[in-house]
Amino acid sequence: MRRLWLLFTQAVTVCLGILFIVATLRPDWLHSSPPDASTAPAASSSVASPDVRQGEVSYAKAVALAAPAVVNVYTSKHINVPIVPLPNDPELNRLFRDIPGFSRRKQSTNLGSGVIVRGDGYILTNYHVIEAADAIEVALSDGRQTRAKLVGADPESDLAVLKIDLPNLAVMTFNGEHQVRIGDVVLAIGNPFGVGQTTTMGIVSALGRNRLGINIYENFIQTDAAINPGNSGGALIDTTGRLVGINTAIYSETGGSLGIGFAIPAQAAHTIMDQIIQTGTVTRGWLGIEPQDITPELARAFGLKREDGVIIASVFKNGPAWRAGIRVGDIVLQLNDQQVEDAIGFLNQIAPLPPGKEVSLQIMRDGKKQDIAVKIGSRPRIRKP
């Protein structure tokens, strides 16, 4: 037994010595060569993936799959401009634009991007791209151009749905149940500055961005993929070519990309699009209240141990909350046993609820907690597209 042990230890020592010599003199012998392209299994035609060749990564397959579904959107509208230059006063300019003889009609053009998401010609874009447009033109990546019809829009989320009538359209696939994660590689496709279709790359920098003052309902994907004017309404895709967001806005003091762009998540855009196609509008739950965040000062004044919840700053007369007995100064702590964190989160909790559904609000009034049943109403439209 002792002899066998000695033989084993000597063999291990010799092998380690050989391994050390090879690793020092010929380290390339220890690395397997990349598989030959002719023997590698073919990728699925429906799902693209990054190409890895000789240590280089390419997203050409994802772009080739998604780019044909991204279109350029051109809009035109006529506006009244003063004949004589006026001081930089918006109110004075607006007054003189409406006075006959002091203004003239001028055609204004705008450009943006859109994404074909259905084979029957439905296109998702941003509301601000087509806002107040007299005519909308769409140019496809294959060179075809056509007029587009506005199906409907949702200014509160800055989304709009267009319709074109052309055959053989390339369609982009939504990312479905695949969750976007911080750190995922994403590609932005659009028409920045009107130079033509352009693809940029970055990562998902953050999720759930709100309080930006862009829309009423905000739940943005933040990315550092370069997004510039003209990219609005374009596609944010993952490395398999699926749609993860609609590019909407940038944070910039110069008008150019500073590495902070925002996109509407694809799932939210899909839900809004379906409602617009079916009914021509978007229905959101509404209580008829204006919530306000609870500051540390308010928490101390009301004797709250935490700063969660919202305080009711105003109540719309004869609205759902008014009829249920909610009053200014009430503090909302929970909605259907779900904690209310802040005003933005509270509005986002209410919005998906169907009108007519009864919910329970836990409020604090005069230092005492109580539950109040409220029937959800339908949020009135603030402005029309």
Side-chain angles (χ1 to χ4, degrees):
M1 195 68 181
R2 175 183 174 87
R3 183 179 300 173
L4 291 175
W5 174 252
L6 289 173
L7 289 173
F8 173 75
T9 55
Q10 290 172 356
V12 170
T13 303
V14 171
C15 290
L16 289 175
I18 294 173
L19 181 62
F20 175 77
I21 294 171
V22 171
T24 303
L25 301 179
R26 296 302 299 268
D28 54 299
W29 288 3
L30 300 178
H31 298 283
S32 60
S33 59
D36 184 66
S38 61
T39 61
S44 171
S45 60
S46 61
V47 178
S49 59
D51 295 329
V52 182
R53 299 177 182 176
Q54 302 292 336
E56 297 179 358
V57 178
S58 171
Y59 300 104
K61 288 183 180 179
V63 175
L65 192 66
V70 179
V71 300
N72 299 338
V73 178
Y74 302 93
T75 65
S76 61
K77 62 182 177 180
H78 290 87
I79 59 174
N80 293 327
V81 295
I83 297 175
V84 180
L86 297 173
N88 189 20
D89 186 329
E91 291 299 323
L92 191 61
N93 275 271
R94 185 170 60 85
L95 174 64
F96 276 88
R97 280 202 308 266
D98 297 333
I99 299 177
F102 283 88
S103 63
R104 59 184 175 85
R105 296 276 286 175
K106 179 182 177 182
Q107 187 176 30
S108 173
T109 59
N110 189 24
L111 61 89
S113 304
V115 184
I116 303 174
V117 290
R118 283 182 34 168
D120 50 357
Y122 286 100
I123 296 173
L124 266 173
T125 187
N126 284 139
Y127 170 71
H128 73 261
V129 170
I130 54 84
E131 182 178 6
D134 296 325
I136 304 172
E137 293 277 347
V138 169
L140 279 65
S141 61
D142 60 10
R144 290 182 291 175
Q145 295 187 15
T146 184
R147 280 284 184 100
K149 181 183 72 172
L150 176 62
V151 178
D154 181 39
E156 294 177 347
S157 65
D158 197 18
L159 284 172
V161 178
L162 308 178
K163 177 76 162 60
I164 59 174
D165 294 316
L166 287 177
N168 303 321
L169 295 174
V171 177
M172 189 173 299
T173 304
F174 285 88
N175 65 329
E177 299 299 323
H178 298 271
Q179 295 296 320
V180 180
R181 302 167 301 172
I182 297 174
D184 283 353
V185 173
V186 287
L187 309 170
I189 308 177
N191 180 24
F193 298 109
V195 299
Q197 192 174 93
T198 303
T199 302
T200 56
M201 185 191 77
I203 64 169
V204 174
S205 306
L207 297 171
R209 287 290 193 226
N210 53 36
R211 298 179 180 274
L212 303 175
I214 300 172
N215 305 329
I216 294 177
Y217 294 97
E218 297 180 340
N219 179 28
F220 290 114
I221 299 170
Q222 181 183 326
T223 177
D224 65 344
I227 297 174
N228 288 289
N231 272 109
S232 292
L236 188 71
I237 66 171
D238 60 18
T239 55
T240 66
R242 293 172 299 197
L243 183 69
V244 299
I246 300 294
N247 299 322
T248 298
I250 59 174
Y251 176 82
S252 175
E253 296 178 354
T254 63
S257 175
L258 294 179
I260 302 179
F262 302 101
I264 300 169
Q267 292 92 337
H270 194 293
T271 301
I272 291 170
M273 179 192 70
D274 285 345
Q275 289 194 44
I276 290 176
I277 292 174
Q278 293 170 11
T279 66
T281 186
V282 177
T283 301
R284 290 188 175 89
W286 183 66
L287 290 181
I289 57 176
E290 182 185 344
Q292 178 182 327
D293 290 343
I294 296 179
T295 63
E297 293 77 14
L298 287 174
R300 287 194 296 269
F302 285 94
L304 301 176
K305 296 180 181 179
R306 300 174 59 185
E307 297 172 16
D308 295 341
V310 296
I311 186 169
I312 304 302
S314 65
V315 181
F316 288 84
K317 190 173 182 179
N318 297 322
W322 175 278
R323 291 193 294 269
I326 302 293
R327 296 295 178 260
V328 173
D330 289 346
I331 296 174
V332 181
L333 302 175
Q334 292 183 355
L335 170 65
N336 283 346
D337 298 325
Q338 292 184 348
Q339 194 72 29
V340 174
E341 302 290 342
D342 53 33
I344 297 294
F346 186 42
L347 291 176
N348 286 327
Q349 285 174 290
I350 298 170
L353 300 175
K357 179 181 177 64
E358 189 172 271
V359 298
S360 175
L361 292 181
Q362 183 186 80
I363 69 167
M364 178 177 288
R365 181 184 294 171
D366 299 328
K368 298 179 180 179
K369 295 180 180 179
Q370 57 179 292
D371 293 327
I372 295 182
V374 186
K375 184 174 289 188
I376 296 293
S378 179
R379 182 177 176 84
R381 290 183 67 97
I382 294 178
R383 48 179 173 158
K384 296 181 180 180

